[in-house]
């Protein structure tokens, strides 16, 4: 099978924030499965894209959800005119043909779904397709990477220890101010002064995490706001639309965030 | 954006105390409680906010903008002022002058940091000028005009003293961090006023801007009596006097005694029949609400039933199997649909309150206990809306012989008023033998058979009791009790009400199952979120 659709055609922009690139390369050298932990919109997906490009491997991404079954990962029989035909799921494709498989928000999947990755993520490196009666031996290039956000998950949702202990972890957080300004200026194509002001707002919002805000304003939200401002929308309105009214439904927090936006904008 | 933009008066957006406290924390990076000032001796024209190390007290009169400006001003002091300075030989007018210059200094620094606040503060300074407390040329009038002149370069004045003040201040524009030289500016200006024979109305003077605090934060007065001693409207501290050993409130009733084992980590085994849990309640058992049977609930799209006779989706796997079966000649199972089911996911949730002495601690101007109670009511309301079954119990302990366990409300009880009554009567006292309480709570939960079962502990401290000196002992026991409960199929979770307690409780409950709520005012929200998350479990 041709995985060229899954290859990144151009170098994704990634601004390193620590030595995560080197760490990832070491992990990949040994094909260690990786967990990327970190708050939403802090650059995990972008990082994996960048690493896939850098290593020259195809990248297959799948967002997990509660309704997902093991068949959605490994594949199922489909019907066609001549009878049934097996259709590989994304995980099987990645394992069979050698891609990096990225499962986004892996805790969203039910734990009984998640266990199908177990044989792939230990020394066996294989994937039994029970229904089909086949065992797929992982291609040497195959690596599994999953992401999750430890912030707002409660005990109600987490990884089983037997899943968790199959992975090495890289922790992410929002980049420091200088890096975040650089990223924002680049991604939203706005000047650094404006980027600095927006980043300032985000930092203040993150201080409200102890006051009931699930997550502070993410780098992603900043980019949205920046793009709107670049488009000519007034700054306060852009921030309101892309950040304060989007981030929370709590009226007090929203009011506070709006006041903070106004205070920082000037 | 032009810096001179008029502040777009946000007129109708009132801000709650919570919202204001959020803003203060974000601006100043410090967490203070924000409360209304009651019992204010002054009239609304002269009453000013009060800034303390732990709280900002706001006069409830005034516009929403004025409240926000007061918060900004308080943030300015918190960020840039030195609190409780000695007044030394300063006379009242000298103090007032030094305070006025300090107010201007910190507001300037604040505006540098948050340019968007300029318009807001300027608006307040203008209002203060228009509504000066004294006649033209009086001290109050001059200070109000100086204050505006310092904020607004376009403000035109022909008053010699105001112009001089502006010049002196602007000369230090670049060194506003330098607190001492600005004190000099203040004393020069105060001197001038003395020579101009300007008098200050000692009794009636209040800082010109209504959003500015009374500056008691800045000074260490010899006699506090001269200054505002306005009291704060705190939640009734009914738990203020811990009950004496052994006694309980009159209406309280002992229901039963139970004994439980306790885990001794040094022996690596349980000590049998080691603790005595004494169940108590405020209502007679006969009055306990009957169990309410579960009504059918609404369709829940999170529940996907597979292999159904009919439904809105094809169950791909079932359909494929059916087709394969048909082709291979067997009959196959024709149930190939998926549909949303009625949620079997009722939860039974037992909220366990830590009623030990530390619940009498005052945080943010209210006792932890009153906060726990508020949170309990919020959670019960949320759970009821979701048709979950909730019970609220509480505990404290006074040695292993006496673990008091309060049944404050029962599963299925439909009476929020009854819970409120129980919560109002409960007292916090003694210690925190978490393990025994968890075992008893888990036993209570084990009779609940509807859907998943959850035990949530609300605590502000570590496991401890007066008859145990090894700090690890009760912690290990509690951890064992949590493991036992989990083995029995109960989800156990902890909300820590104190940042210090968080890690300790985390060791008992597992870090993924502990959430620290550092701001007590964030607790009700955290509980509601917790409840929603249980819904997704
Ligand atoms: N270090 C970085 N270098 C370049 N861009 C970044 C970086 N960090 C964040 N970004 C930008 O932020 C955006 C959001 O990041 P990304 O989508 O990777 O977040 P995420 O951590 O995967 O979030 P989620 O958990 O919600 O999926 C990216 O599209 C990218 O523009
Ligand atoms: Mg992502």
């Amino acid at each position: 099978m041709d995985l060229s659709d899954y290859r990144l055609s151009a170098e994704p922009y990634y601004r390193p924030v620590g030595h995560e690139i080197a760490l990832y390369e070491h992990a990949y050298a040994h094909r260690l499965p990786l967990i990327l932990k970190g708050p939403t919109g802090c650059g995990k997906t972008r990082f994996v894209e960048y690493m896939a490009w850098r290593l020259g491997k195809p990248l297959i991404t799948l967002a997990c959800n509660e309704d997902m079954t093991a068949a959605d990962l490994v594949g199922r029989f489909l019907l066609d005119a001549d009878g049934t035909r097996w259709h590989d799921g994304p995980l099987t494709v990645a394992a069979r043909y050698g891609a990096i498989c990225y499962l986004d928000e892996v805790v969203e999947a039910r734990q009984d779904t998640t266990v199908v990755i177990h044989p792939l993520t230990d020394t066996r490196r294989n994937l039994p397709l029970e229904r089909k009666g086949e065992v797929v031996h992982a291609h040497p290039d195959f690596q599994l990477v999953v992401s999750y956000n430890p912030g707002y998950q409660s005990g109600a949702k987490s990884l089983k220890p037997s899943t968790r202990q199959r992975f090495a972890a890289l922790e992410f957080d929002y980049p420091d101010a200088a890096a975040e300004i650089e990223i924002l200026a680049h991604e939203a194509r706005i000047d650094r002064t404006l980027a600095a002001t927006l980043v300032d707002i985000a930092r203040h919002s993150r201080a409200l995490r102890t006051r009931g805000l699930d997550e502070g304003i993410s780098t992603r939200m900043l980019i949205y706001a920046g793009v709107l401002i670049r488009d000519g929308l007034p700054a306060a309105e852009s921030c309101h639309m892309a950040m304060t009214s989007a981030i929370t439904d709590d009226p007090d927090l929203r009011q506070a965030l709006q006041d903070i936006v106004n205070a920082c904008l000037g | 954006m032009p810096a001179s933009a008029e502040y777009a008066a946000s007129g109708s957006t009132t801000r709650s105390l919570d919202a204001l406290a959020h803003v203060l924390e974000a601006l100043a990076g410090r967490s203070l409680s924000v409360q209304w000032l009651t019992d204010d001796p002054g009239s609304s024209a002269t009453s000013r906010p009060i800034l303390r190390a732990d709280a900002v007290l706001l006069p409830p009169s005034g516009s929403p903008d004025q409240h926000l400006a007061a918060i900004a001003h308080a943030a300015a002091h918190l960020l840039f002022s030195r609190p409780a300075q000695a007044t030394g030989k300063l006379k009242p007018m000298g103090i007032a002058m030094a305070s006025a210059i300090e107010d201007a200094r910190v507001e300037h620094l604040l505006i540098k940091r948050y340019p968007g606040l300029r318009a807001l503060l300027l608006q307040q300074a203008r209002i203060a000028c228009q509504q000066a407390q004294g006649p033209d040329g009086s001290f109050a009038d001059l200070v109000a005009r100086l204050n505006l002149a310092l904020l607004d370069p376009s403000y035109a004045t022909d008053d010699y003293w105001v112009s001089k003040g502006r010049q002196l201040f602007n000369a230090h524009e670049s060194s506003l961090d330098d607190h001492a030289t600005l004190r000099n500016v203040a004393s020069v200006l105060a001197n001038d006023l003395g020579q101009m024979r300007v008098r200050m109305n000692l009794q009636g003077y209040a800082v010109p801007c209504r959003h500015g605090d009374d500056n008691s934060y800045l000074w260490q007065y010899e006699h506090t009596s001269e200054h505002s001693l306005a009291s704060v409207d705190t939640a009734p501290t009914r738990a203020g006097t811990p009950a004496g050993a052994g006694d309980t409130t009159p209406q309280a009733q002992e229901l039963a005694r139970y004994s439980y084992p306790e885990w001794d980590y040094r022996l690596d085994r349980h000590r049998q029949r080691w603790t005595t849990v004494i169940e108590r309640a405020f209502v007679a058992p006969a009055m306990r609400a009957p169990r309410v049977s579960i009504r059918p609930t609404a369709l829940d799209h999170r529940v996907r039933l597979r292999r159904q006779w009919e439904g809105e989706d094809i169950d791909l796997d079932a359909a494929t199997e059916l087709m394969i079966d048909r082709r291979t000649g067997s009959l196959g199972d024709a149930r190939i649909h998926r549909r949303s089911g009625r949620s079997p996911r009722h939860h039974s949730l037992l909220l366990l309150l830590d009623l030990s002495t530390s619940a009498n601690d005052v945080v943010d101007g209210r006792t932890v206990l009153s906060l726990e109670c508020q949170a309990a009511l919020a959670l019960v309301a949320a759970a009821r809306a979701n048709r979950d079954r909730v019970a609220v119990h509480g505990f404290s302990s006074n040695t292993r012989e006496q673990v008091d366990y309060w049944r404050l409300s029962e599963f299925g009880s439909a009476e929020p008023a009854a819970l409120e009554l129980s919560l109002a009567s409960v007292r916090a006292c003694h210690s925190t033998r978490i393990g025994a309480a968890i075992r008893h709570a888990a036993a209570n939960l084990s009779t609940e058979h509807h859907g998943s079962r959850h035990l949530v502990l609300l605590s502000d401290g570590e496991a401890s009791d007066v008859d145990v000196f090894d700090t690890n002992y009760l912690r290990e026991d509690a951890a064992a009790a949590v493991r036992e409960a989990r083995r029995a199929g109960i989800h156990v979770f902890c909300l820590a009400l104190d940042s210090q307690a968080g890690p300790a409780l985390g060791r008992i409950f597992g870090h993924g199952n502990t959430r620290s709520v550092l701001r007590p005012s964030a607790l009700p929200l955290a509980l509601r979120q917790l409840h929603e998350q249980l819904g997704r479990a």
Side-chain angles (χ1 to χ4, degrees):
Chain A
M1 185 175 165
D2 175 22
L3 289 188
S4 59
D5 283 352
Y6 294 104
R7 284 183 195 277
L8 289 118
S9 51
E11 172 174 356
Y13 166 75
Y14 183 73
R15 157 75 160 80
V17 288
H19 40 278
E20 69 273 21
I21 294 179
L23 290 175
Y24 190 105
E25 283 177 336
H26 281 289
Y28 187 77
H30 301 282
R31 302 298 184 270
L32 293 184
L34 269 182
I35 287 189
L36 310 184
K37 290 200 225 182
T40 182
C42 72
K44 301 184 294 291
T45 304
R46 177 61 62 90
F47 174 63
V48 178
E49 287 172 348
Y50 174 75
M51 290 311 301
W53 176 86
R54 194 179 157 98
L55 297 165
K57 306 295 175 219
L59 175 68
I60 297 179
T61 307
L62 188 67
C64 300
N65 62 58
E66 232 179 17
D67 225 11
M68 203 167 79
T69 62
D72 294 325
L73 280 173
V74 299
R76 54 165 57 87
F77 279 108
L78 294 181
L79 296 169
D80 61 17
D82 321 315
T84 59
R85 183 169 50 82
W86 174 261
H87 180 85
D88 276 345
L91 181 64
T92 312
V93 172
R96 212 190 275 282
Y97 304 103
I100 294 174
C101 182
Y102 180 52
L103 303 181
D104 214 348
E105 282 301 337
V106 72
V107 281
E108 289 300 323
R110 288 195 314 270
Q111 294 188 341
D112 55 329
T113 304
T114 325
V115 293
V116 307
I117 66 177
H118 282 193
L120 264 180
T121 45
D122 53 32
T123 48
R124 290 173 277 177
R125 274 180 67 86
N126 66 31
L127 179 63
L129 306 178
E130 257 166 59
R131 298 221 177 129
K132 192 175 178 224
E134 179 193 348
V135 175
V136 177
H137 296 277
H139 187 284
D141 287 352
F142 169 77
Q143 184 200 21
L144 186 64
V145 182
V146 305
S147 81
Y148 106 104
N149 177 345
Y152 55 80
Q153 258 95 32
S154 79
K157 269 201 178 158
S158 69
L159 293 174
K160 277 155 116 70
S162 58
T163 305
R164 187 185 281 272
Q165 297 202 7
R166 294 179 137 75
F167 290 86
L170 280 179
E171 287 197 44
F172 283 71
D173 203 343
Y174 300 116
D176 61 52
E180 197 165 27
I181 292 168
E182 196 180 314
I183 293 166
L184 176 55
H186 178 277
E187 292 285 278
R189 285 183 277 132
I190 54 177
D191 65 64
R192 278 167 173 272
T193 328
L194 175 59
T197 307
L198 293 176
V199 166
D200 194 34
I201 293 172
R203 310 227 132 221
H204 284 91
S205 78
R206 290 167 201 164
L208 294 183
R209 276 192 276 191
T210 56
R211 303 194 67 101
L213 194 64
D214 263 340
E215 288 283 0
I217 291 170
S218 64
T219 313
R220 185 191 355 256
M221 284 187 142
L222 287 177
I223 295 171
Y224 290 170
V227 167
L228 293 177
I229 298 174
R230 192 190 67 211
D231 237 24
L233 209 60
E237 258 178 276
S238 307
C239 291
H240 187 50
M241 180 167 153
M243 311 193 302
T244 53
S245 67
I247 198 168
T248 175
D249 300 325
D250 181 88
D252 291 336
L253 284 168
R254 206 168 42 213
Q255 179 66 50
L257 284 167
Q258 221 170 313
D259 288 337
I260 292 160
V261 166
N262 290 337
C264 292
L265 281 179
Chain B
M1 237 181 253
S4 62
E6 285 299 305
Y7 184 69
S10 40
S12 59
T13 50
T14 53
R15 292 178 178 82
S16 69
L17 290 176
D18 272 345
L20 291 168
H22 295 330
V23 175
L24 182 61
E25 171 145 11
L27 293 181
R30 289 203 1 218
S31 175
L32 277 75
S33 84
V34 178
Q35 297 162 36
W36 296 125
L37 188 59
T38 57
D39 236 12
D40 186 2
S43 71
S44 72
T46 55
S47 89
R48 297 289 178 266
I50 297 173
L51 173 60
R52 299 190 317 215
D54 63 334
V56 181
L57 315 179
L58 296 179
S61 62
S63 67
D65 283 343
Q66 185 184 318
H67 294 150
L68 182 61
I71 290 299
H73 186 86
H77 279 308
L78 292 169
L79 286 169
F80 306 115
S81 283
R82 221 181 295 158
Q85 302 161 45
T87 53
K89 293 203 167 56
L90 283 179
K91 300 211 179 59
M93 198 158 82
I95 295 180
M97 201 58 238
S99 304
I101 293 294
E102 176 67 0
D103 282 346
R105 182 183 81 88
V106 296
E107 284 199 356
H108 270 250
L109 289 170
L110 186 76
I111 288 169
K112 271 199 188 146
R113 179 80 192 75
Y114 302 104
L117 292 175
R118 181 169 188 276
L120 175 71
L121 295 172
L122 190 56
Q123 180 201 40
Q124 295 296 319
R126 291 210 174 111
I127 294 173
C129 238
Q130 284 153 14
Q131 308 174 342
Q133 299 159 54
D136 284 2
S138 66
F139 180 75
D141 169 57
L142 285 172
V143 173
R145 280 156 63 191
L146 175 62
N147 185 50
L148 179 56
L150 296 185
L151 266 183
D152 183 2
S154 69
Y155 173 68
T157 177
D158 45 17
D159 185 283
Y160 170 77
W161 182 82
V162 172
S163 311
K164 178 175 176 184
R166 183 192 255 168
Q167 253 171 25
L168 285 174
F169 188 89
N170 288 347
H172 297 286
E173 183 71 58
S174 56
S175 56
L176 285 178
D177 308 325
D178 185 357
H179 173 260
T181 45
L182 284 153
R183 275 288 281 273
N184 285 338
V185 170
S187 69
V188 170
L189 290 173
N191 247 338
D192 286 2
L193 288 179
Q195 284 176 1
M196 290 153 62
R197 309 218 172 277
V198 171
R199 303 280 300 274
M200 179 183 167
N201 169 5
L202 271 181
Q203 250 57 52
Y205 178 75
V207 293
C209 287
R210 292 191 183 183
H211 74 284
D213 60 285
D214 67 358
N215 285 319
S216 51
Y217 176 78
L218 295 177
W219 307 105
Q220 179 90 58
Y221 296 107
E222 316 273 292
H223 309 289
T224 46
S225 59
E226 286 175 30
H227 286 273
S228 50
L229 290 173
S231 67
V232 186
D233 182 20
T234 49
T237 47
R238 52 170 183 249
T241 44
D247 72 34
T248 44
T249 336
Q251 322 90 292
Q253 219 177 345
E254 182 175 324
L255 302 175
R257 292 181 176 238
Y258 301 83
S259 60
Y260 284 97
E262 194 162 85
W263 176 256
D264 188 330
Y265 77 101
R266 292 159 305 195
L267 307 178
D268 202 23
R269 66 170 173 80
H270 283 100
R271 291 169 179 269
Q272 293 306 322
R273 306 184 64 79
W274 195 251
T275 56
T276 306
V277 171
I278 307 173
E279 256 196 5
R280 302 175 193 273
F282 288 104
V283 280
M287 282 176 58
R288 284 208 227 158
R291 296 241 152 131
V292 188
S293 64
I294 294 282
R295 289 153 291 180
T297 57
L299 281 187
D300 181 345
H301 295 287
R302 293 168 303 194
V303 182
R304 304 294 300 169
L305 301 177
R306 299 182 166 275
R307 296 180 190 274
Q308 301 294 307
W309 287 110
E310 53 191 25
E312 62 267 28
D313 261 341
I314 298 277
D315 182 339
L316 267 185
D317 295 320
T320 316
E321 273 169 39
L322 175 67
M323 297 310 278
I324 294 167
D325 287 342
R326 294 244 164 111
R327 298 223 171 141
T328 55
S330 64
L331 209 50
D333 181 348
R335 291 176 298 174
I336 55 159
H337 289 92
R338 297 173 8 134
R339 62 179 171 85
S340 304
R342 292 192 192 281
S343 172
R345 304 180 180 204
H346 296 289
H347 308 292
S348 295
L349 192 155
L350 197 159
L351 183 65
L352 189 58
L353 308 180
D354 171 354
L355 300 177
S356 62
T357 313
S358 56
N360 292 322
D361 290 354
V362 176
V363 188
D364 266 14
R366 33 191 315 194
T367 62
V368 172
L369 179 62
S370 70
L371 229 120
E372 289 188 28
C373 294
Q374 183 197 338
L377 290 170
L379 185 73
V380 167
R384 201 162 277 138
N386 209 35
R387 302 185 192 217
D388 290 335
R389 293 164 60 80
V390 249
V392 181
H393 296 173
F395 74 100
S396 61
S397 65
N398 183 23
T399 76
R400 68 188 178 91
E401 308 288 343
Q402 185 195 343
V403 180
D404 289 312
Y405 188 95
W406 293 93
R407 307 183 69 102
L408 302 170
S409 82
E410 300 296 331
F411 286 112
S413 140
E415 273 303 305
L419 172 62
E420 254 173 271
L421 262 178
S422 305
L423 287 174
S425 329
V426 80
R427 298 279 181 283
C429 56
H430 306 316
S431 313
T432 324
R433 212 172 189 102
I434 295 181
I438 286 191
R439 285 189 187 91
H440 192 59
N444 272 300
L445 259 172
S446 63
T447 57
E448 284 291 303
H449 295 295
H450 308 280
S452 55
R453 291 169 293 179
H454 303 268
L455 172 57
V456 178
L457 174 70
L458 212 59
S459 174
D460 65 332
E462 281 216 60
S464 70
D465 207 343
V466 286
D467 57 345
V468 179
F469 303 103
D470 175 353
T471 49
N472 288 328
Y473 175 87
L474 285 177
R475 183 192 297 156
E476 292 293 332
D477 169 58
V482 168
R483 282 194 299 274
E484 291 155 23
R486 293 211 172 114
R487 234 171 281 140
I490 295 171
H491 301 267
V492 190
F493 193 83
C494 175
L495 283 178
L497 296 181
D498 179 282
S499 54
Q500 265 105 56
L505 290 166
R507 255 169 277 148
I508 296 175
F509 292 88
H511 291 281
N513 298 303
T514 309
R515 182 187 268 225
S516 286
V517 184
L518 304 182
R519 303 306 323 141
S521 54
L523 175 67
L525 184 65
L527 268 179
R528 278 204 307 279
Q529 288 168 343
L530 165 67
H531 183 256
E532 281 159 20
Q533 283 170 340
L534 298 182
R536 291 193 267 123

